[in-house]
Amino acid sequence: MSSLGLLAQDSGGRLALTGRPRPGRRRVAILGAGVSGMSAAYELGKLGFDCTVLEARGRPGGRNWTVRRGTVEAELGRPPQTCRFDPGLFMNAGPMRISHTHSTSLAYCRELGVPLIPFPMVNEACYVYAPGFKRMRLREVHADWIGYTAELLAKAVNQDKLDLALSSADRRQLIETLRQAGFLNSSLTYPDNDPPAGLQLGSDDSPRGFVTLPGTVGEPVQPTRPVPFDTLIRSGYVGQTGLIPGELDWQPTMLTPEGGMDRLAYAFANKLGGVIRYRAVVTAARRTSAAGVRLTYTDLADTTGGAGGTPKELTADFCLC
């Protein structure tokens, strides 16, 4: 969708709108109190437009939704479900993090006073597992993959088997870098026998982990043993663990609003106040002869029209859908 231009992209900085409404052309109806709808109302309000946001749900945020104790949700044709999390627990059912590249969202968090905390994207201690293979910790997968591929490349460089021509000094530097990165031994091998991989940089320095954790200086340690390279490849663990850095928006540092992603949505809603009409289900939008727009909607918050809500209309000069 991004490639086709169908998905909004971050502007790369603080959103800044300019201009003023023309006389008699300042009423704007906005469909939906998602983050985009509320940010539009927030910015247009600064310029002097009179905005009304119609939101079908009883909460702001749209897809930006955090589920907490007491949250009630009713799917079509199903009975209502009530969240029974313990107090203080929550689940971000929509977005859960903000990339360091999303400068517009980060700028809004600063402007609206939404505290942010780091969102760890990688847990090196977690397990990965596939049927027929031994479970491994993520750090073990990473260490073995880097070690074995460093060994392959170091031996190719040492035998001058690369297509790229390297000087002797460059070749020595590259081999030494690979030796350190892959914890290779003196024969440029990622050792799967004694001494185990990881002891070349110090007895208490093994990124793969230890069977017996290091203790007092001088105490013996027992690093874990690598799995065979062909086993690592056949397991498919490398492809499952995001070892190769992904697209830019998924790379650290990631951030998230403290207490739930919807803190940003409610910060917008608090700024807008009565601009948002909740439980307003829009049923039609039509152009008018006066170059404006007429919206018909059902006001579920107004039960004077019966259990199904009250039919209402809203006229405006412009509509953002």
Side-chain angles (χ1 to χ4, degrees):
M1 291 179 69
S2 298
S3 301
L4 294 173
L6 300 177
L7 192 65
Q9 302 296 304
D10 193 278
S11 64
R14 179 66 179 84
L15 182 66
L17 299 182
T18 59
R20 290 289 172 182
R22 288 180 290 168
R25 299 284 286 172
R26 62 190 304 265
R27 295 170 301 166
V28 180
I30 298 174
L31 305 191
V35 173
S36 60
M38 291 190 294
S39 59
Y42 179 61
E43 296 296 340
L44 291 172
K46 292 179 182 179
L47 301 182
F49 286 90
D50 182 11
C51 297
T52 300
V53 180
L54 299 178
E55 168 56 49
R57 297 180 176 92
R59 60 170 178 83
R63 193 177 72 88
N64 186 332
W65 181 35
T66 302
V67 177
R68 298 182 178 84
R69 185 181 185 88
T71 298
V72 179
E73 181 69 11
E75 298 180 2
L76 292 177
R78 305 288 294 178
Q81 303 176 73
T82 301
C83 176
R84 294 182 174 87
F85 289 164
D86 286 344
L89 299 181
F90 62 86
M91 179 188 74
N92 288 314
M96 65 179 70
R97 59 213 145 189
I98 302 176
S99 169
H100 67 281
T101 64
H102 293 178
S103 53
T104 302
S105 297
L106 294 174
Y108 275 129
C109 288
R110 287 191 294 269
E111 183 170 336
L112 300 176
V114 179
L116 297 174
I117 58 176
F119 185 102
M121 287 290 291
V122 177
N123 175 12
E124 293 286 348
C126 73
Y127 285 108
V128 290
Y129 171 75
F133 296 91
K134 179 182 177 181
R135 70 176 184 174
M136 295 178 66
R137 293 200 184 267
L138 193 58
R139 62 171 175 260
E140 297 170 339
V141 175
H142 288 179
D144 288 357
W145 179 256
I146 294 172
Y148 285 125
T149 54
E151 174 185 338
L152 289 173
L153 181 54
K155 288 180 176 179
V157 172
N158 197 39
Q159 298 173 28
D160 199 18
K161 297 295 186 179
L162 294 185
D163 291 338
L164 177 65
L166 296 175
S167 67
S168 297
D170 289 343
R171 189 159 52 247
R172 287 193 300 270
Q173 180 62 48
L174 179 53
I175 290 175
E176 178 59 22
T177 300
L178 293 168
R179 189 190 69 78
Q180 294 184 31
F183 280 41
L184 309 182
N185 60 22
S186 58
S187 62
L188 300 182
T189 299
Y190 181 62
D192 57 2
N193 52 14
D194 293 330
L199 294 187
Q200 284 70 37
L201 299 184
S203 61
D204 61 349
D205 186 5
S206 177
R208 200 181 191 283
F210 295 87
V211 175
T212 304
L213 292 174
T216 305
V217 175
E219 287 187 351
V221 296
Q222 185 182 353
T224 56
R225 299 284 293 274
V227 301
F229 193 23
D230 58 345
T231 300
L232 181 66
I233 294 174
R234 284 187 279 109
S235 71
Y237 288 161
V238 174
Q240 296 174 6
T241 59
L243 175 61
I244 300 173
E247 58 189 79
L248 182 62
D249 286 347
W250 289 83
Q251 297 173 7
T253 297
M254 302 290 275
L255 299 166
T256 191
E258 185 176 8
M261 194 70 183
D262 66 350
R263 299 301 193 203
L264 176 56
Y266 279 98
F268 271 118
N270 290 337
K271 281 284 187 181
L272 294 174
V275 168
I276 305 175
R277 299 184 188 178
Y278 294 106
R279 297 179 60 77
V281 181
V282 176
T283 55
R286 295 287 185 268
R287 293 183 183 275
T288 66
S289 58
V293 62
R294 181 176 63 253
L295 303 176
T296 58
Y297 67 97
T298 302
D299 188 349
L300 298 179
D302 184 353
T303 57
T304 58
T310 302
K312 293 185 178 181
E313 285 192 351
L314 173 69
T315 59
D317 301 303
F318 305 98
C319 176
L320 295 181
C321 179

